[in-house]
Amino acid sequence: MSVKHLTRVNRLKMLYEGKAKSIYATDEAELVIQHFKDDATAFNGEKKGEIANKGAMNNQISARIFFFLNESGIKTHYIATLNENDQLVKKLAIIPVEVVVRNVVAGSLAKRMGKEEGTELDDPVVELYYKDDSLGDPMINRFHVNSFKIADLEHIRVMEVEAQRINNLLWSFFDERGLLLVDFKLEFGLHQGQLLLGDEISPDTCRLWDKETGEKLDKDRFRRDLGKVEESYKEVMDRVMK
Ligand code: ADP
Ligand code: UDP
């Protein structure tokens, strides 16, 4: 079926309402619509708010990045952008393990390791987190994955390798646009037995700093009440779209 035909699919009932996005069924059983909202949360949902136009901006930013990754040989769920806030994606059984890749010390790593934010790492750090809101997404390793039967270990190994390939691609992609890719989070899932990159890549899920000034241009502006939140997402969008 052609992409043109696919973009005419109908949005049916909501399957899942998340904090930043909702997932809708379509008349194609294997496809879903990922709807991006303006809602923003931080600290495991303790801080709630809205960022004007965030849904539309993240929809565009994430689509551009997934298109780039698809072109670069990464297998992803992304099919097409349908309108301002919706994109058509392959339906995934999400693996409940988030993969975080870090190039520069920031956020929880700064606290955990007692190092100043902004310290560059000689080699990227890859971390796993158990995707469970009620537990606050604890950090885990492959032993937890195995003993608690969270996921197939072979899938986790592939996810770790893919995450590093994606980091190499995205580092250059953002660097060319004057942005430092500090860290980011990825989610993967299974579609007809195939492991695909899912969810989104946006200033909600990445730390992005201006290369020259070090200015934060991501969700930390919301988390830390730094102001100019919408403006920063817009800045990232303008650079990513060029
Ligand atoms: P959360 O669940 O943490 O509140 P979101 O608001 O981003 O996060 O909700 C989007 C949900 O959709 C996430 O739980 C994510 O794992 C899931 N998801 C992402 N891509 C797909 C997909 N292609 N198929 C099914 N679910 C997906
Ligand atoms: N991240 C995310 N969702 C999460 C946890 C982390 O998108 O549930 C992203 C976050 O935006 C950052 C990276 O993963 O780019 C590392 O986050 P960290 O562990 O430092 O947690 P934080 O301090 O942001 O809570």
Side-chain angles (χ1 to χ4, degrees):
M1 213 180 305
S2 72
V3 168
K4 198 157 173 214
H5 176 84
L6 285 173
T7 54
R8 275 185 240 124
V9 295
N10 290 306
R11 193 168 104 170
L12 305 178
K13 73 167 185 213
M14 191 193 285
L15 298 176
Y16 175 82
E17 173 148 36
K19 299 185 286 287
K21 300 189 290 303
S22 305
I23 302 288
Y24 290 87
T26 70
D27 31 24
E28 298 285 337
E30 290 298 316
L31 307 180
V32 291
I33 287 171
Q34 184 165 237
H35 171 82
F36 288 75
K37 305 191 285 184
D38 290 346
D39 297 346
T41 62
F43 314 119
N44 199 28
E46 267 174 50
K47 181 180 166 105
K48 286 196 177 75
E50 261 196 24
I51 301 170
N53 299 314
K54 177 172 81 78
M57 293 192 283
N58 279 356
N59 186 27
Q60 267 200 55
I61 295 168
S62 198
R64 175 71 187 93
I65 293 172
F66 272 72
F67 182 82
F68 163 72
L69 291 175
N70 276 339
E71 295 267 286
S72 308
I74 303 289
K75 292 189 169 61
T76 86
H77 70 160
Y78 179 75
I79 298 173
T81 300
L82 300 176
N83 56 49
E84 263 218 322
N85 291 78
D86 292 344
Q87 53 181 245
L88 186 66
V89 297
K90 293 177 181 168
K91 185 177 186 173
L92 298 180
I94 292 285
I95 293 173
V97 176
E98 299 185 343
V99 184
V100 168
V101 183
R102 302 170 180 277
N103 299 304
V104 176
V105 175
S108 68
L109 183 66
K111 266 195 208 142
R112 195 177 329 116
M113 300 305 288
K115 285 271 188 282
E116 215 176 310
E117 271 210 332
T119 310
E120 285 212 21
L121 296 161
D122 288 341
D123 291 301
V125 168
V126 178
E127 296 171 344
L128 305 177
Y129 291 86
Y130 182 31
K131 192 172 150 61
D132 184 325
D133 280 341
S134 68
L135 299 174
D137 296 350
M139 189 162 88
I140 54 170
N141 62 33
R142 289 188 210 160
F143 288 90
H144 301 92
V145 172
N146 183 50
S147 296
F148 289 89
K149 301 187 170 47
I150 293 169
D152 181 329
L153 267 188
E154 191 44 39
H155 290 149
I156 298 295
R157 283 195 194 94
V158 175
M159 284 158 61
E160 289 172 347
V161 171
E162 284 296 281
Q164 291 174 84
R165 275 183 71 200
I166 293 166
N167 184 41
N168 289 335
L169 291 163
L170 291 185
W171 172 276
S172 307
F173 179 91
F174 285 119
D175 186 66
E176 284 162 16
R177 291 160 176 81
L179 294 166
L180 177 72
L181 178 61
V182 172
D183 57 31
F184 59 98
K185 181 265 300 178
L186 300 174
E187 293 185 28
F188 294 83
L190 293 169
H191 176 84
Q192 297 172 340
Q194 236 197 349
L195 188 68
L196 305 181
L197 177 68
D199 207 53
E200 71 180 299
I201 299 179
S202 73
D204 268 14
T205 65
C206 302
R207 285 194 170 91
L208 296 163
W209 297 353
D210 182 89
K211 242 169 59 175
E212 302 302 321
T213 65
E215 193 182 7
K216 294 177 172 37
L217 297 170
D218 54 61
K219 198 166 142 187
D220 273 345
R221 300 209 74 86
F222 168 79
R223 291 190 190 99
R224 303 178 188 187
D225 295 318
L226 299 176
K228 292 202 294 185
V229 186
E230 186 189 347
E231 291 84 343
S232 300
Y233 279 65
K234 173 83 170 45
E235 181 64 33
V236 170
M237 183 176 74
D238 290 345
R239 295 199 202 181
V240 162
M241 298 316 287
K242 19 179 224 233

